[in-house]
Amino acid sequence: MNGQFRSLSGQLPWLTLVGLDESGWQGLGAQAREAIAAAELLVGGRRHLNHIPVSEGQQRLCWPSPIADGIAEIQQWRGRRVCVLASGDPFSYGVGSTLSRHIAAAEMHCLPAPSAFSLAAARLGWALQQCHCCSVLARDVDNLHAVLGDGRQLLILSENGDSPAQVAKLLCEAGFSRSAMHVFEALGGAEERQYCAPAVEWTARRAAGLNTVAVACVADAPGAGPVRSAGRDEAGFLHDGQISKREVRAAILALLAPRGGELLWDLGAGSGAVSVEWLLSDAANRAIAVERHPARIANIRGNARRYGVSHLQCVQGCSGEQLGRLERPQAIFIGGGLTVPGLLDDCWRALPAGGRLVASAVTLEGEAALWQASQRYGGELCRISVERCESLGSFNGWRPLRPVTLWAVQRGPASEETS
């Protein structure tokens, strides 16, 4: 099947992914039609399947809920001819990436159609590589906060007809009310339509269920949008006083050295500010914030929404009791609980080679725990003292903040370990 296509391993794929646009069967090329016609099992959403002429003897599977049940069914057909239908490019926020977690790439052949991102960018004359491609399909619309910026071009996959109005509301609240919004319906089809208006003028009109939103961001005032560097003002976070000051937090993030695609444990997370800034450093990063106080957990979740990183995972409980249940991290920050017996040792054991651990202390007892850990595992100790200028009557003076001691260590290869 699929002509002479073979994977790099020489294996002939049994699973073909075919991307459809709004023109359906009529818009498919000969290779895609051949793959569909030859399939013993054809899989897709009901809308996709309705586009395809019925073929005698061919079995059809409409995606069930949960989708995992459908993937299990597909795997039972391994080695036979199976074709999965998808919208546009199956590997652009599509089912392709889901299937690839269960089926090797060598077993699949993909025949994509233009994605909604490609079509929208082409309609507007935007360079796709310069656009920020996002999705609010089964995702919190607040995540868009993380990509806002004056002059940025956003392409957004909608969840339903209400998504454009939700995007407009977020833009207005975030200080981007003058941004031009373009809403495309039925992209690539005979019924394609485009609507355009500034976010502040967008009405509550419900768009078609299948739509894509493009936003040309325009800030209402200079300085609107999220800061891109670590050390954001603590006034921008929900907190009860348990938050690392911006100067110290910038140092903490520098020592954690986020690279991308890494998981952070933020233990004794307080406001979750370290987790938020870790996630903002790279879109592929993940973080788990562990905090025992319910009110602080609420603040962490609120801060995650505020900064567009709602994928921040919150775990309520004592750090020492939760570690065994957490996925192994590449970096750990300990902002509270240093004196819990065994916590530092457990964190050290959880780190892989190359993993980083940073811990902060403001008490003598916490400093003592860091000193003992540094003697056992190495690393560096530093103490940060910050003074801020404040008014003293008609004059000004320096007010010192509480000094913070930081311990930073990176785990080397097993052959280099001394403990």
Side-chain angles (χ1 to χ4, degrees), residues 201-214:
E201 298 177 11
W202 195 262
T203 67
R205 173 189 173 278
R206 182 181 174 88
L210 293 175
N211 69 84
T212 302
V213 181

Side-chain angles (χ1 to χ4, degrees), residues 327-370:
E327 179 184 347
R328 194 178 187 188
Q330 285 73 47
I332 301 173
F333 172 64
I334 307 176
L338 281 175
T339 58
V340 173
L343 179 64
L344 280 166
D345 295 328
D346 290 342
C347 287
W348 177 257
R349 286 190 288 268
L351 283 177
R356 290 88 63 203
L357 190 158
V358 178
S360 66
V362 295
T363 66
L364 292 175
E365 291 79 4
E367 288 185 340
L370 294 185

